[in-house]
Short mmCIF file of all heavy atoms in Angstrom, two decimals:
data_model
loop_
_atom_site.label_atom_id
_atom_site.label_comp_id
_atom_site.label_asym_id
_atom_site.label_seq_id
_atom_site.Cartn_x
_atom_site.Cartn_y
_atom_site.Cartn_z
N GLY Y 249 149.26 119.61 96.29
CA GLY Y 249 149.41 118.17 96.04
C GLY Y 249 149.15 117.88 94.57
O GLY Y 249 148.66 118.73 93.83
N SER Y 250 149.53 116.69 94.17
CA SER Y 250 149.28 116.27 92.79
C SER Y 250 148.22 115.18 92.80
O SER Y 250 148.10 114.45 93.79
CB SER Y 250 150.56 115.71 92.17
OG SER Y 250 151.53 116.71 92.10
N PRO Y 251 147.47 115.06 91.68
CA PRO Y 251 146.48 113.98 91.65
C PRO Y 251 147.19 112.63 91.61
O PRO Y 251 148.18 112.47 90.89
CB PRO Y 251 145.72 114.23 90.34
CG PRO Y 251 146.62 115.07 89.51
CD PRO Y 251 147.51 115.82 90.43
N ALA Y 252 146.72 111.70 92.40
CA ALA Y 252 147.31 110.35 92.38
C ALA Y 252 146.35 109.45 91.62
O ALA Y 252 145.23 109.21 92.07
CB ALA Y 252 147.53 109.85 93.80
N LEU Y 253 146.80 108.98 90.46
CA LEU Y 253 145.90 108.21 89.60
C LEU Y 253 145.49 106.89 90.25
O LEU Y 253 144.43 106.36 89.98
CB LEU Y 253 146.59 107.93 88.25
CG LEU Y 253 146.92 109.21 87.44
CD1 LEU Y 253 147.70 108.86 86.19
CD2 LEU Y 253 145.65 109.98 87.08
N ASP Y 254 146.37 106.39 91.13
CA ASP Y 254 146.07 105.10 91.76
C ASP Y 254 145.29 105.29 93.06
O ASP Y 254 145.16 104.37 93.84
CB ASP Y 254 147.36 104.33 92.03
CG ASP Y 254 148.31 105.10 92.94
OD1 ASP Y 254 148.05 106.29 93.20
OD2 ASP Y 254 149.30 104.50 93.40
N ASP Y 255 144.78 106.50 93.30
CA ASP Y 255 144.07 106.75 94.55
C ASP Y 255 142.70 107.36 94.27
O ASP Y 255 142.56 108.58 94.15
CB ASP Y 255 144.91 107.69 95.42
CG ASP Y 255 144.23 107.96 96.75
OD1 ASP Y 255 143.21 107.30 97.04
OD2 ASP Y 255 144.70 108.85 97.48
N PRO Y 256 141.69 106.50 94.12
CA PRO Y 256 140.37 107.01 93.75
C PRO Y 256 139.77 107.95 94.79
O PRO Y 256 138.88 108.75 94.49
CB PRO Y 256 139.52 105.74 93.60
CG PRO Y 256 140.30 104.65 94.27
CD PRO Y 256 141.73 105.06 94.26
N GLU Y 257 140.28 107.88 96.02
CA GLU Y 257 139.73 108.72 97.09
C GLU Y 257 140.23 110.16 97.01
O GLU Y 257 139.68 111.06 97.61
CB GLU Y 257 140.14 108.14 98.44
CG GLU Y 257 138.99 107.45 99.14
CD GLU Y 257 139.34 107.16 100.59
OE1 GLU Y 257 140.33 107.69 101.13
OE2 GLU Y 257 138.58 106.39 101.16
N GLY Y 258 141.31 110.37 96.25
CA GLY Y 258 141.96 111.68 96.20
C GLY Y 258 140.99 112.79 95.84
O GLY Y 258 140.96 113.84 96.50
N ALA Y 259 140.18 112.56 94.80
CA ALA Y 259 139.26 113.60 94.33
C ALA Y 259 138.23 113.93 95.42
O ALA Y 259 137.87 115.09 95.63
CB ALA Y 259 138.56 113.14 93.06
N THR Y 260 137.76 112.89 96.12
CA THR Y 260 136.77 113.10 97.18
C THR Y 260 137.37 113.95 98.30
O THR Y 260 136.73 114.89 98.80
CB THR Y 260 136.36 111.72 97.78
OG1 THR Y 260 136.13 110.83 96.71
CG2 THR Y 260 135.13 111.82 98.66
N VAL Y 261 138.60 113.60 98.70
CA VAL Y 261 139.24 114.34 99.80
C VAL Y 261 139.50 115.78 99.37
O VAL Y 261 139.26 116.73 100.15
CB VAL Y 261 140.55 113.64 100.24
CG1 VAL Y 261 141.26 114.45 101.31
CG2 VAL Y 261 140.26 112.24 100.76
N LEU Y 262 139.93 115.97 98.13
CA LEU Y 262 140.17 117.32 97.62
C LEU Y 262 138.87 118.14 97.69
O LEU Y 262 138.88 119.30 98.14
CB LEU Y 262 140.70 117.26 96.19
CG LEU Y 262 140.87 118.59 95.47
CD1 LEU Y 262 141.91 119.46 96.18
CD2 LEU Y 262 141.30 118.38 94.02
N ALA Y 263 137.77 117.52 97.26
CA ALA Y 263 136.48 118.22 97.29
C ALA Y 263 136.10 118.57 98.73
O ALA Y 263 135.62 119.69 99.01
CB ALA Y 263 135.40 117.35 96.65
#
Side-chain angles (χ1 to χ4, degrees):
Chain Y
S250 296
L253 298 175
D254 59 350
D255 181 8
E257 255 193 13
T260 315
V261 176
L262 174 63

